[in-house]
Amino acid sequence: DAKTTQPTSMDCAEGRAANLPCNHSTISGNEYVYWYRQIHSQGPQYIIHGLKNNETNEMASLIITEDRKSSTLILPHATLRDTAVYYCIVRGDYTGTASKLTFGTGTRLQVTL
Amino acid sequence: ETGVTQSPTHLIKTRGQQVTLRCSSQSGHNTVSWYQQALGQGPQFIFQYYREEENGRGNFPPRFSGLQFPNYSSELNVNALELDDSALYLCASSLGGGQGNQPQHFGDGTRLSIL
């Protein structure tokens, strides 16, 4: 699986958009970009994933660059409850061990009043 | 739709003991993956079960073993517990053997402490 690079931490004011970047310059053609977040003392929560097109759901939007070497997770109106560690993960379209999620250190997003 | 549930939520054991952790997968999901998360680190893949068989394994010793039942629920067993086994153990369920376009959904884990 391709490695990802994320900033260690970010701050965002409540009500503003939170834009979390991720670099995955060695991504392969069949690898998806996944985003999870983990709020303290809880399990990781799936947010969104995509292959090449931009994606949007009720939680967030995922913008993937045309060369697929980087992506941005957008939380349109951040709230205090969005404070968490956000993980960007690249995973191939495989089964078994190769389908594992490889978590890095993630970005710690702090939403403030 | 019922999410992933794990039991117990907390557990304290001593070195050398054995432990069994349980996971009920999300409704309709046939694949279960287990992860270990040490304090301050990201989750690490232990193994995956699909159709009641181990379908992949990470870098964990054989004293970590598992089972999947016909209803797709799963157990993680750890023998000869060591202090370094203290961690949050996470279960994630998904569809289709964990294919890349199927997200894994996590439970809130079992916090295991070894004394």
Side-chain angles (χ1 to χ4, degrees), chain A residues 85-101:
Chain A
V85 177
Y86 287 76
Y87 294 100
C88 169
I89 299 168
V90 171
R91 183 172 76 132
D93 190 10
Y94 307 117
T95 62
T97 300
S99 72
K100 68 181 181 182
L101 295 171

Side-chain angles (χ1 to χ4, degrees), chain B residues 64-84:
Chain B
F64 286 78
S65 63
L67 285 172
Q68 187 180 32
F69 300 99
N71 66 354
Y72 306 128
S73 66
S74 178
E75 287 182 354
L76 164 65
N77 299 291
V78 187
N79 294 322
L81 286 166
E82 302 176 358
L83 293 178
D84 285 348

